[in-house]
Amino acid sequence: MPAHPLMVRKVAVLGAGVMGAQIAAHLVNANVPVILFELVAKEGDPNGNVLKAVANLKKLEPSPLAVKERADLIEPANYGQHLELLRDCDIVIEAISERMDWKEDLYHKVAPYLGAHTIFASNTSGLSINKLAGAFPEQQRHRFCGVHFFNPPRYMHLVELIACTGTDPVILDNLERFLVTTLGKGVIRAKDTPNFIANRVGVFSMLATIYHAERLGIGFDTVDALTGSLIGRPRSATFRTADVVGLDTFAHVVHTMRDTLPEDPWHKFYGVPAWLQKLIEQGALGQKTRKGVYQKIGRDIQVIDLKTGAYRVSDGKADEAIVEILKNKNPTERFAQLHASDHPQAQFIWAIFRDSFHYCALHLESIASNARDLDFAIRWGFGWDTGPFEIWQSAGWRQIAGWIAEDIAAGKTMVATPLPSWVLESARTGVHKPEGSYAPESNDYQPRSSLAVYQRQPFPDKLLGEERKYGTTIFETDGVRCWHTGDDIAIVSFKSRMHAIGDDVLQGVQQAIAEAEHNYIGLVLWQIEPPFSVGANLKKSSGSKAPPAPPSALGKLFKSMKREAESLALKAARQMGVADQLMAGKLAEVEHLVEQFQITTQMLKYSMVPTVAAVDGLALGGGCEFVMHCDRAVATLESYIGLVEVGVGLLPAGGGCKEFAMRAAADAKGGDMSPFLQKYFKAVAMAEVGRSAEHAREIGYLRVTDRIVMNRFELLEIAKAEVRAMAAAGYRPPMRAKAIPALGRSGISTIRAFMENMRAGGHISEHDYLIGTKVATVMCGGDIEGGSLVDEQWFLDLERQHFMELIATEKTQARIEQMLKTGKPLRN
């Protein structure tokens, strides 16, 4: 019989520091009751330390909380008064400072209070799990393991799971299920070696980067220009990442490697450079102290200069010739050009890749079960687009291996240790194949995990070398592919860049709805990769800027959310080629395209089979309107949803204003709908974008009945389950509303009065006031008596009318043109 699944009713987190508090935050994001422990405060409330940590969670950016109110669900506790609470916890996660003696003392203290079935896991980033387990009574060690979250826990996908010699395998399986589905994580089982997999490889990569930058005399700002998105790594690159992580934290991980890996061939490189040690001694620890490798003085970003030891203006750039090499999409050609070039920047990039490949090959057997685990650990834990072995294999395994061997022989590599024999096997073309990934210890190819939880992921994260087929095509057009997975549910996926909604997508969705109504029990809108849809059609206007990529988890994710939303708001002008039609003076064609959009969203709403929007990442403008019109939305927590058209001087005209007007009427339940409509007006007028799916629900883009899931790789399966549930219940589309109460003139007047105060105070321009007035006019039902009853088409006609009036104004056209040319909003 299969083991009984772990029922997690409550979790305790020991330690309310940076990681402990944020792990607790992510647990409440997932609706898991959590107790957060800390030392007894020396004065005042005994829980003062933990209460301060919880309060600080509300201030952090990017926010560790789906919505700030979630912090209030964390139960505070201290070791002096509340250890008895541990008995009711199914999992206890220790996240105190990385001191073996402190951890051992804490284990002795809490062990007597653990329940008979409690799993105890340490969040250590690199200490020995077996040594830590030794501090536990022998009869409890089978329930002990390591569970290493990455910072920030809400956003970083990776969790490393590490067993001690006595850990019960069933406990590991149960914990993995919980981490994957409940917390949405990508779990890698690491061996009990110092710093495990991701930190071991990722930190070495940073050390190699530092070494070669110093050797070649390349400035740190230039290094960051070279080692970010140009080579498929986070925009924070190398030294900005170190500042974000904390220079002291980085140094601690390096020291752990130095102290615990004396036999490692690279041991002499496991040291903190003198310049870095000096910064730490000066208290320049990076982002948390506003000074590290970088600092901001006024509007200037400055970087430490190794030659002078002083800060200078950061102006380093990648050489244009190197940028051209790195833009080559053929990895074999790209690496050949880097290897052959005499340019210092090319030599630098080849060297950091070469030494990372060398390091990974030599240590794979000791730190990971197979090459897949190492690649995913680096992708999920350090934000690389592609893992080290994937990069090597895609560039030509044998050629790269030969070049590495030549450089080893020539003394060009960091160490002279030869490559393992398996790397140089004559038949080897890589480490990833359709049947699995190479495992040096067993000398075979290991398939993915067979745990039942992964059956919920029909299309898990892709890996080079694996075969991937997305079902069977029903039909395919220039804009969409409609397909199925061998069952009775149709899926439609957009083919456009960033899943923009153009006329071809609209026609394709309409065809998919018709197909589903005739031959399937329902339709799911799901994209193979995020985002769900930025709404913008990027095909029509040549030379215009593409929308920025979804915000990086390690960047200031939400500080500039409004600006990013406005940048993406060019959707309203470029919807289905609207911008091109506008610039050509063909307003009649624009109006026809807007009407087609309204037809499509209404078809989604009134289809004879259930429609479900499976949302991951950005769903802006028209993408948001699609979500609002489907019978159900299933959204990952990291979905950023909003109506952002106001950013380019327009208003939502695909039914978004209409849906908000209807929701306000429904929320009022026959009472005064003014406060509800004003809330929705604010969302549209301020182009609000949800900072999470939970926040989008709070704003009103998602409904109470919509689902929020934690793991994006389970999204399609859960969306299909929603279709099945509705179909099994005898689905019928909603009745068309024919008597929707509207606030009319009185509602418009109330909102205008508010905006007049904003205008008088200089907070909005005259054109902002005009846009807001038109949004209010649409959402209040137009120039009619308050309480008048109208139907949906009435609102849709108003949307289209006022959209067209705005797009005909010079100032809106100027905003659109500015956005198309620069990607930045214009306030006029």
Side-chain angles (χ1 to χ4, degrees), residues 3 10 17 117 191 222-223 279 352 366 411 418 428 432 447 551 592 637 650 672 718 781 797 801:
K10 187 177 289 186
H117 302 288
K191 296 183 179 181
T222 302
V223 168
L279 286 176
I352 64 173
S366 64
R428 181 168 300 283
H432 301 303
H592 171 74
L637 184 71
L650 292 163
D672 180 13
I718 296 169
D797 291 343
Q801 172 194 335

Side-chain angles (χ1 to χ4, degrees), residues 304-599:
I304 197 76
D305 190 315
L306 277 187
K307 294 178 182 178
T308 65
Y311 286 92
R312 60 169 173 79
V313 172
S314 173
D315 56 5
K317 295 180 180 178
D319 187 272
E320 289 184 9
I322 306 306
V323 171
E324 286 305 307
I325 291 175
L326 296 176
K327 283 184 177 179
N328 188 332
K329 294 184 178 181
N330 184 313
T332 303
E333 294 177 0
R334 184 168 65 246
F335 271 87
Q337 291 169 342
L338 289 171
H339 181 259
S341 175
D342 292 330
H343 195 293
Q345 291 185 10
Q347 293 177 357
F348 167 74
I349 296 172
W350 161 247
I352 64 173
F353 274 114
R354 175 200 65 205
D355 289 336
S356 292
F357 295 159
H358 188 188
Y359 191 88
C360 290
L362 199 66
H363 288 304
L364 174 59
E365 182 173 350
S366 64
I367 67 175
S369 296
N370 54 63
R372 177 181 53 251
D373 286 353
L374 189 149
D375 275 347
F376 277 150
I378 293 300
R379 282 167 54 175
W380 296 343
F382 276 74
W384 292 21
D385 291 346
T386 316
F389 286 124
E390 290 179 290
I391 297 169
W392 183 350
Q393 182 169 328
S394 68
W397 184 272
R398 295 178 191 173
Q399 181 66 81
I400 296 293
W403 287 337
I404 296 172
E406 289 173 3
D407 282 2
I408 293 172
K412 295 180 179 180
T413 52
M414 294 171 72
V415 300
T417 308
L419 288 166
S421 58
W422 62 264
V423 171
L424 300 170
E425 291 170 353
S426 59
R428 181 168 300 283
T429 58
V431 290
H432 301 303
K433 292 185 176 182
E435 62 266 30
S437 294
Y438 185 67
E441 186 174 11
S442 56
N443 192 33
D444 63 2
Y445 286 80
Q446 295 184 355
R448 288 182 183 246
S449 171
S450 60
L451 278 181
V453 67
Y454 295 110
Q455 300 306 308
R456 296 164 56 86
Q457 300 184 12
F459 304 105
D461 210 353
K462 288 191 293 187
L463 187 75
L464 181 76
E466 291 183 337
E467 293 178 350
R468 176 63 57 91
K469 181 184 178 184
Y470 292 95
T472 301
T473 299
I474 300 170
F475 72 84
E476 189 165 4
T477 69
D478 289 342
V480 307
R481 176 175 177 253
C482 188
W483 53 288
H484 65 78
T485 59
D487 55 21
D488 50 3
I489 297 174
I491 303 164
V492 64
S493 303
F494 306 168
K495 294 167 61 177
S496 49
R497 185 172 183 270
M498 300 288 280
H499 306 130
I501 301 170
D503 187 49
D504 51 357
V505 170
L506 291 176
Q507 297 301 320
V509 171
Q510 290 180 21
Q511 185 178 344
I513 294 169
E515 179 70 31
E517 287 181 330
H518 284 90
N519 299 306
Y520 297 87
I521 66 168
L523 177 68
V524 175
L525 280 66
W526 178 81
Q527 315 299 2
I528 290 170
E529 295 285 348
F532 177 75
S533 174
V534 297
N537 184 325
L538 303 180
K539 294 181 180 178
K540 298 285 185 177
S541 297
S542 60
S544 58
K545 286 196 172 184
S552 166
L554 288 177
K556 294 183 178 179
L557 183 58
F558 298 114
K559 189 173 182 180
S560 59
M561 175 65 83
K562 189 145 187 283
R563 177 173 290 182
E564 294 223 15
E566 288 170 334
S567 178
L568 289 160
L570 58 89
K571 163 264 168 191
R574 305 173 76 176
Q575 190 86 277
M576 309 146 294
V578 164
D580 301 323
Q581 304 287 5
L582 170 63
M583 298 311 170
K586 300 177 181 178
L587 291 180
E589 292 185 33
V590 172
E591 185 166 11
H592 171 74
L593 293 169
V594 173
E595 185 177 14
Q596 281 299 307
F597 197 100
Q598 293 180 345
I599 289 170

Side-chain angles (χ1 to χ4, degrees), residues 12-151:
V13 177
L14 309 183
V18 172
M19 285 300 293
Q22 292 197 54
I23 291 169
H26 194 57
L27 285 161
V28 293
N29 286 341
N31 294 320
V32 178
V34 62
I35 308 170
L36 182 60
F37 279 81
E38 192 42 273
L39 296 170
V40 177
K42 293 181 179 178
E43 55 185 34
D45 188 330
N47 284 334
N49 291 330
V50 70
L51 290 172
K52 181 180 179 181
V54 171
N56 190 54
L57 289 171
K58 298 181 181 181
K59 303 173 186 176
L60 293 177
E61 292 292 345
S63 177
L65 299 157
V67 290
K68 294 188 185 299
E69 293 74 18
R70 288 268 164 173
D72 301 328
L73 299 176
I74 298 172
E75 182 180 349
N78 65 76
Y79 302 122
Q81 297 174 311
H82 304 123
L83 290 179
E84 283 288 343
L85 297 176
L86 294 174
R87 298 192 192 279
D88 295 328
C89 295
D90 299 292
I91 300 173
V92 175
I93 299 172
E94 170 269 304
I96 68 170
S97 296
E98 290 288 86
R99 284 273 301 270
M100 183 72 76
D101 54 341
W102 290 1
K103 290 180 185 288
E104 289 175 345
D105 286 346
L106 179 62
Y107 295 178
H108 288 304
K109 180 182 291 186
V110 303
Y113 296 91
L114 300 179
H117 302 288
T118 301
I119 297 172
F120 192 98
S122 174
N123 182 57
T124 179
S125 60
L127 297 179
S128 170
I129 296 301
N130 279 295
K131 287 184 179 178
L132 289 171
F136 258 82
E138 188 173 350
Q139 65 271 24
Q140 291 177 308
R141 288 177 195 166
H142 68 287
R143 291 183 276 117
F144 182 85
C145 64
V147 55
H148 179 212
F149 289 82
F150 277 68
N151 189 23

Side-chain angles (χ1 to χ4, degrees), residues 136-365:
F136 258 82
E138 188 173 350
Q139 65 271 24
Q140 291 177 308
R141 288 177 195 166
H142 68 287
R143 291 183 276 117
F144 182 85
C145 64
V147 55
H148 179 212
F149 289 82
F150 277 68
N151 189 23
R154 170 183 163 185
Y155 302 99
M156 299 308 291
H157 190 57
L158 178 64
V159 170
E160 290 174 317
L161 189 58
I162 313 100
C164 70
T165 53
T167 307
D168 183 346
V170 173
I171 283 176
L172 291 175
D173 290 349
N174 280 329
L175 189 53
E176 184 164 352
R177 292 186 189 99
F178 172 76
L179 292 166
V180 170
T181 290
T182 306
L183 299 189
K185 296 303 175 187
V187 174
I188 296 296
R189 298 205 185 185
K191 296 183 179 181
D192 186 22
T193 55
N195 290 345
F196 311 128
I197 302 175
N199 276 346
R200 179 78 175 272
V201 174
V203 170
F204 170 78
S205 177
M206 293 176 73
L207 289 172
T209 300
I210 293 170
Y211 168 76
H212 288 297
E214 293 181 2
R215 179 178 66 84
L216 293 167
I218 299 176
F220 293 164
D221 49 346
T222 302
V223 168
D224 279 351
L226 290 165
T227 59
S229 56
L230 276 177
I231 60 171
R233 298 183 187 178
R235 286 176 290 180
S236 53
T238 300
F239 294 104
R240 285 194 299 272
T241 294
D243 272 353
V244 170
V245 169
L247 300 184
D248 54 337
T249 302
F250 174 71
H252 171 79
V253 177
V254 173
H255 287 152
T256 299
M257 296 170 74
R258 178 198 63 195
D259 296 342
T260 57
L261 295 166
E263 304 302 320
D264 192 304
W266 283 269
H267 181 264
K268 69 178 181 181
F269 298 100
Y270 297 160
V272 176
W275 62 265
L276 179 54
Q277 187 60 45
K278 184 177 179 180
L279 286 176
I280 294 171
E281 290 170 357
Q282 293 172 347
L285 306 180
Q287 189 174 352
K288 57 189 173 186
T289 60
R290 299 177 182 268
K291 185 177 182 180
V293 176
Y294 292 91
Q295 67 173 358
K296 187 174 183 181
I297 302 296
R299 294 189 175 183
D300 290 336
I301 303 296
Q302 299 183 343
V303 63
I304 197 76
D305 190 315
L306 277 187
K307 294 178 182 178
T308 65
Y311 286 92
R312 60 169 173 79
V313 172
S314 173
D315 56 5
K317 295 180 180 178
D319 187 272
E320 289 184 9
I322 306 306
V323 171
E324 286 305 307
I325 291 175
L326 296 176
K327 283 184 177 179
N328 188 332
K329 294 184 178 181
N330 184 313
T332 303
E333 294 177 0
R334 184 168 65 246
F335 271 87
Q337 291 169 342
L338 289 171
H339 181 259
S341 175
D342 292 330
H343 195 293
Q345 291 185 10
Q347 293 177 357
F348 167 74
I349 296 172
W350 161 247
I352 64 173
F353 274 114
R354 175 200 65 205
D355 289 336
S356 292
F357 295 159
H358 188 188
Y359 191 88
C360 290
L362 199 66
H363 288 304
L364 174 59
E365 182 173 350

